């Protein structure tokens, strides 16, 4: 008797945003299906035993005569020699010729509308009810309900056509079919549950050409039907050593990714379910090579953390920072292979930590778990991890609550490392993070503290060579920004007020690409040095004078930055007060 597992073997998975790994090489599947040269089309390569006492006996049909009699349409040569001629008689050939000459009948395609949807929904509900009824009636005899389960399986897969008609999402939800589909996640047969998860993933895919309102209608109905809790319960019962269950986990992760595109749902996932706990258990599992599901779990974690500060704080409560740092520790001196799931996995772990350390709780956990020391090792000895560790340090130092991280950086002998990097030729991204680190150190280290004194000493040592590098960088960024500003002014002349407002964001993007942020950061650093050290002030004025500039250009940049801060959050108020104070030293 066939088992339920055999009955519901999954077909090849459909295309989606991400693709599951092929479990078998398609070429092997083809080869295994191909018949041997002496096989028979209807025997699947198996032949009846035939006595071969008479080797001279001829078998099979006789060869066709050599004349030109027509035996049907031309058939390509059969390399394996199983067939002779077309296998069609003269009379049958005439019938085929007649049919080929007839005009094809016009077959109207099925109209996909509300009436069709109601019919589809009614059949779907009937299949669910019938399967539930037979399962309850013949609980101990699977043969009695296997047929209804196969019908239900087919009807679930048929729902994928709705992805081409998102205008029907709202009515599909009103019919109650969405709730029924979600309810199948609790079906006793995990293959039915996996089919339902896959269809839900397809219906909620962000890449569909659905209006936001249409997407919201079906997603709201799913959430109301307890989708999130049912997904979590399936994580517990899916066994990833089984190929079908492995695909179920994959599609469940895809659903979470789709849901997290709405901030409120991302927060609900993080706060009202155990998804974060499950991810923190799944991600550290040892695998070689790293599987697609492990990588996808890390990606979904990064998405949830990027979506909401509430989720970032929740991760800190779960001691997630320490766990993620332990994972990264394995890559202090070893790089994952390029282009592999492992490489993307490591990048997602870095992304997750970079989000978390933007929160005050994340910074504290980062220091406690010796994250600063680990990042300095990676910056010094890593390859792939070097730039990502530098970005992580930059974020950890930033913000009003980064003082403790700044002090830990100085204490861990990080000044020599970052200033040494600064004096070497670096790419734009690395330079931006180094400038961010300098700015944070000058903003946050307490006045007259040992750490602040050591930082200032680094800027003035070796005859102010770092100041020379800063001013040179300033000239480069200012020149690039000036060229873009000239282009923008030329465009503004041809536009009215409304058109200029529409272009404002694009122009800002072009200015940022030209180096606006780096220029502003450099001028904040220069302003701090002017305020802190008379010798540094004289050197900066001298370096600027070489190109007929003065501290006025530094002041103008800081004033522009100050004018763009329009919010009144604690962080914004603190930044405005700092910039206002720095401008006083540039008068």
């Amino acid at each position: 008797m066939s088992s339920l597992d055999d009955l519901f073997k999954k077909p090849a998975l459909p295309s989606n945003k991400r693709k599951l790994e092929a479990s078998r090489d398609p070429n092997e599947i083809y080869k295994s299906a191909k018949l041997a040269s002496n096989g028979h089309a209807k025997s699947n390569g198996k032949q009846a035993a035939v006595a071969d006492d008479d080797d001279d006996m001829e078998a099979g049909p006789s060869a066709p005569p050599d004349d030109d009699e027509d035996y049907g349409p031309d058939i390509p040569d059969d390399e394996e020699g199983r067939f002779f001629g077309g296998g069609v008689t003269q009379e049958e050939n005439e019938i085929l010729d007649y049919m080929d000459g007839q005009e094809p009948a016009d077959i109207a395609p099925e109209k996909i509308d509300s009436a069709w949807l109601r019919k589809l929904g009614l059949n779907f509900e009937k299949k669910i009810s019938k399967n539930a009824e037979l399962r309850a009636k013949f609980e101990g005899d699977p043969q009695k309900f296997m047929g209804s389960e196969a019908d239900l399986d087919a009807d679930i897969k048929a729902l994928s056509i709705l992805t081409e008609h998102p205008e029907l999402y709202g009515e599909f939800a009103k019919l109650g079919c969405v709730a029924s589909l979600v309810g199948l996640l609790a079906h006793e047969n995990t293959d039915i549950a996996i089919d339902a998860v896959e269809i839900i993933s397809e219906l909620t895919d962000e890449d569909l050409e659905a209006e936001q309102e249409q997407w919201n209608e079906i997603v709201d109905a799913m959430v109301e039907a307890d989708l999130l809790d049912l997904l979590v319960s399936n994580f517990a019962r899916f066994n990833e050593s089984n190929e079908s269950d492995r695909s179920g986990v994959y599609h469940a992760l895809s659903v979470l990714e789709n849901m997290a595109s709405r901030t409120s749902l991302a927060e609900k996932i993080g706060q009202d379910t155990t998804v974060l706990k499950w991810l923190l258990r799944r991600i550290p599992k040892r695998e070689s090579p790293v599987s697609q599901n492990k990588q996808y779990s890390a990606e979904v974690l990064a998405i949830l953390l990027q979506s909401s500060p509430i989720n970032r704080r929740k991760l800190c409560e779960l001691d997630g920072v320490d766990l993620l740092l332990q994972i990264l520790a394995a890559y202090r001196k070893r790089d994952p292979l390029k282009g592999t799931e492992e490489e993307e996995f490591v990048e997602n772990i870095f992304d997750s930590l970079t989000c978390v350390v933007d929160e005050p709780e994340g910074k504290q956990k980062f220091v406690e778990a010796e994250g600063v020391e680990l990042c300095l090792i990676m910056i010094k000895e890593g390859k792939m991890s070097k730039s990502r560790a530098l970005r992580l340090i930059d974020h950890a130092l930033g913000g009003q609550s980064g003082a403790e991280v700044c002090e830990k950086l100085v204490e861990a002998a990080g000044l020599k490392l970052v200033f040494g990097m600064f004096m070497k030729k670096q790419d734009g991204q690395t330079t931006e993070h180094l400038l961010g680190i300098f700015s944070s150190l000058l903003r946050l280290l307490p006045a007259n503290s040992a750490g602040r004194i050591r930082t200032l000493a680094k800027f003035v040592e070796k005859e102010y060579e770092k100041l020379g590098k800063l001013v040179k960088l300033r000239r480069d960024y200012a020149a690039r920004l000036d060229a873009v500003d000239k282009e923008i002014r030329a465009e503004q002349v041809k536009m009215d007020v409304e058109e200029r407002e529409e272009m404002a964001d694009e122009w800002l993007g072009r200015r940022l690409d030209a180096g606006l942020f780096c220029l502003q950061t450099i001028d904040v650093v220069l302003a701090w040095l002017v305020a802190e050290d008379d010798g540094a002030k004289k050197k900066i004025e001298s370096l600027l004078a070489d190109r007929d500039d003065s501290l006025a250009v530094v002041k103008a940049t800081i004033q522009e930055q100050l004018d763009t801060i329009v919010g009144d959050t604690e962080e914004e108020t603190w930044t405005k007060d700092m910039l206002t104070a720095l401008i006083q030293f540039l008068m």
Side-chain angles (χ1 to χ4, degrees), residues 79-211:
E79 295 179 359
E80 298 188 1
R82 289 195 295 270
F83 304 104
F84 297 102
V88 182
T89 67
Q90 178 68 26
E91 183 181 357
E92 290 168 340
N93 188 44
E94 291 174 359
I95 295 172
L96 290 172
D97 288 341
Y98 172 77
M99 294 181 66
D100 287 341
Q102 302 305 304
E103 291 292 329
D106 291 332
I107 302 175
E110 188 173 14
K111 188 176 181 182
I112 310 297
D113 56 10
S114 295
W116 171 89
L117 180 65
R118 287 192 292 272
K119 181 179 177 182
L120 177 79
L122 181 61
N123 288 335
F124 179 55
E125 296 289 351
K126 284 182 178 178
K127 296 292 172 58
I128 295 175
S129 299
K130 183 176 181 181
N131 175 246
E133 179 184 338
L134 291 176
R135 265 190 167 271
K137 188 174 181 180
F138 303 106
E139 184 177 357
D141 190 358
Q143 280 282 49
K144 297 289 181 66
F145 59 77
M146 283 171 65
S148 70
E149 219 131 284
D151 291 340
L152 177 58
D153 179 75
D155 269 31
I156 294 170
K157 290 181 171 70
L159 295 177
S160 65
I161 194 173
L162 287 173
T163 61
E164 301 172 18
H165 301 277
E167 70 277 5
L168 298 175
Y169 276 9
E171 188 166 352
F172 187 61
K174 290 175 183 176
L175 290 172
C177 296
V178 170
S180 298
L181 176 61
V182 171
L184 289 176
L185 297 185
H187 198 279
E188 294 89 339
N189 184 345
T190 55
D191 287 315
I192 293 292
I194 290 167
D195 282 343
V197 171
E198 183 174 351
I199 290 299
I200 290 171
S201 173
E202 292 179 17
L203 293 173
T204 58
D205 194 328
E206 281 192 288
D207 293 338
L208 293 177
E209 295 181 1
E211 300 292 335

Side-chain angles (χ1 to χ4, degrees), residues 332-446:
R332 286 174 296 183
K333 302 178 182 179
R334 178 180 75 83
D335 284 352
L337 291 176
K338 287 188 176 181
T340 62
E341 298 283 359
E342 185 178 16
E343 182 181 39
E344 195 170 348
F345 171 77
V346 174
E347 289 177 351
N348 284 316
I349 298 300
F350 268 114
D351 288 345
S352 294
L353 277 169
T354 302
C355 290
V356 174
V357 297
D358 283 335
E359 302 299 321
E361 297 88 346
K363 296 180 192 296
Q364 182 179 351
K365 293 288 185 180
F366 185 69
V367 171
E368 292 174 358
E370 300 182 350
V372 173
E373 291 85 344
L374 176 61
C375 285
L376 291 177
I377 292 173
M378 288 181 162
I379 294 170
K380 184 177 181 180
E381 302 178 4
K383 293 179 182 178
M384 176 261 197
S385 61
K386 183 191 291 285
S387 60
R388 292 160 180 81
L390 185 67
R391 181 185 65 153
L392 180 53
I393 282 286
D394 182 16
H395 279 258
L397 266 63
Q400 191 175 357
S401 55
E404 185 180 3
V405 191
C406 290
E407 292 173 356
K408 177 60 71 172
L409 178 71
V410 176
E411 181 184 318
L415 292 179
K416 180 179 179 181
L417 182 61
V418 295
F419 276 95
M421 287 183 68
F422 178 68
M423 294 308 295
K424 298 175 182 176
K425 187 175 182 180
Q426 303 290 352
D427 59 48
Q429 200 68 45
T430 299
T431 299
E432 179 180 328
H433 291 311
L434 289 169
L435 292 172
I437 290 171
F438 296 156
S439 176
S440 296
L441 290 171
L442 291 170
R443 291 172 68 178
L444 298 170
L445 287 171

